[in-house]
Structures are given as C-alpha cells and as structure tokens.
Amino acid sequence: MQLLTNPGEASPSVSKLTVSLASTPEEVREVQRLRYKVFIEAMGLSTLANADGLDSDEFDSYCDHLIVRDTNTLRVVGTYRVMSPHAARRMGRYYSEQEFDLGRLDNLRDRIAEAGRACIDPAYRSGSVIMLLWAGLAAFMRRERCDYLMGCASVSLADGGHNAAALYHGLDHSNFSPAEYRVTPHVPFPVYEREAGHVAQMPPLLKGYLRSGAWVCGDPAWDPDFHSADFFLLLPLSKLDQRYARHYLKETRAA
C-alpha cells in the first residue's frame, strides 16, 4: 500500500522517497534490521544484541509497519510501527500496557491507534522522512477510523537521567492531559531526583508530538532494557495543530 511520494531532499544527495505499509515478511525484516541498527547497535545496548541483527518482539506480527524507502537505493530509511484497535484486541493488549496502566483510557479503546518504534536512518534526518511518516500515520488513522493516537517518546538516561527529569519539569501546564486521560507507570522514573540547573534537551520525536498538540499523560516510566525514560503521549486528532493538519491531511486525501 503506497501512500504518497516526496521528491524533496532527504540526504546529502537528492532522493525520491515513498511511504507505504510493509506488505511482505522481507519488508518487515528490513524494518527490524533498521531498528536494530539504530536502537541496539548505535546505542550500544549489548544486552539486546543478537546474531540475526534484528530488533523484533511478539507485537511485530500483530502490527502494521510504515516504511519510508529511498527509491534510488531501495533502502528502508524510516519506519513507524502502528497498532489498530482490532489488532490490539487480537493481541490482548497494546504495547504501552507493558509500561503503563491505561485503565482511564478504556472508553477510548475502539478509537485509539498506537504508534511506536519510530526509527530513522542517521543519514536521512533532515526532516523529510519524519514528515512522510507522520503523513502515513494520518492515512492509517483515517483508514482505521481512529480519533486518537497514542505512543511513547523515549528519553535516554545516559546522563544519569538529569535531562529526562529536566524535560518533565520544564513542561508547561498545557502540555499535560486532563485528569481523565492520566495513565500510571508500572515502574515510575524518579523525576524529582534531578541535577539543579540542568538545561533540558528535547528529543525530536517528543518535540514533534508536543508541537502537533499531543498531551503528556502523567509521569514517565523507566525502561531498563532501552535505558530510557518513556513519556506516554495522547494526541486527539481534533486537537492537531492546524499547520500540521493542513499538511498531513491534505497529503493523505489523495492516498
């Protein structure tokens, strides 16, 4: 399923990019190889290393996988894993439920799509790939008739967690969800143990969610496997920032 193309510049050389849903087992393996390169090799997570060179788990076979491909080289250079409400029912849970109690969102389950494992090849981080992935998410949600997008944005704890704590305390009141959408981390990250005066550096994925109108739904969870603090976010499409809505939804109407 090809969604759209973008002939713009995505790397030092001009590339034509396409975004689609993986439709074969080999395309899913391409996604898993890219995730392994970015999440495990680049981050030095030796405990997750494996001989296959694949980042995979039990959720992969239940989810759809958005892929951005450079048609000049045929490389998969970006991906996002998405789970529909129907897929979550078949699986029995959403991925986020491994880290958070989502009980307060039970009334929204039939209208929520979950996005995760966002990953972009380091050579293609000029902005074009993430824009296509967001456009692909919009198209997926239109197809699945979902009103909400949820997911986690990870913040590295390589500095001892000071940046993650500073980010949390630097959020504006408007960045947080109403109380009825709050979730509870199973293993909370200690946001109150922080280094005074630390200047927060916001990761691009978290910044993109917040700029699009997403809410942070409470305290972050601690993910020991990926050595990160995970912020749970909920994005109502009705709240999507208008400049993003015009871009994403305009592009996906032609899909």
Side-chain angles (χ1 to χ4, degrees), residues 85-182:
H86 175 68
R89 285 193 296 272
R90 288 192 295 115
M91 177 66 189
R93 65 192 188 281
Y94 284 103
Y95 180 85
S96 299
E97 291 183 275
Q98 298 182 131
E99 295 189 88
F100 296 92
D101 178 351
L102 306 185
R104 289 190 177 181
L105 304 183
D106 282 349
N107 63 319
L108 303 180
R109 282 181 181 268
D110 289 338
R111 297 185 288 147
I112 292 180
E114 181 181 49
R117 287 293 205 271
C119 180
I120 298 174
D121 187 297
Y124 288 78
R125 292 180 179 171
S126 66
S128 298
V129 175
I130 191 62
M131 292 295 279
L132 279 176
L133 288 172
W134 274 93
L137 282 174
F140 180 85
M141 294 183 70
R142 286 164 59 86
R143 189 189 76 175
E144 298 296 329
R145 295 180 171 84
C146 291
D147 298 317
Y148 296 87
L149 179 70
M150 70 178 182
C152 294
S154 297
V155 179
S156 172
L157 300 180
D159 69 340
H162 301 298
N163 187 52
L167 278 170
Y168 178 84
H169 290 285
L171 294 171
D172 186 83
H173 175 75
S174 63
N175 295 137
F176 286 96
S177 70
E180 60 266 30
Y181 299 124
R182 294 295 172 95

Side-chain angles (χ1 to χ4, degrees), residues 165-228:
L167 278 170
Y168 178 84
H169 290 285
L171 294 171
D172 186 83
H173 175 75
S174 63
N175 295 137
F176 286 96
S177 70
E180 60 266 30
Y181 299 124
R182 294 295 172 95
V183 303
T184 305
H186 297 313
V187 182
F189 172 72
V191 292
Y192 297 100
E193 298 177 15
R194 58 180 177 138
E195 184 180 65
H198 187 92
V199 178
Q201 301 295 317
M202 188 172 292
L205 182 62
L206 179 57
K207 183 182 294 185
Y209 270 117
L210 294 178
R211 283 182 174 177
S212 297
W215 291 315
V216 175
C217 297
D219 292 352
W222 177 47
D223 183 343
D225 291 334
F226 286 93
H227 197 44
S228 66

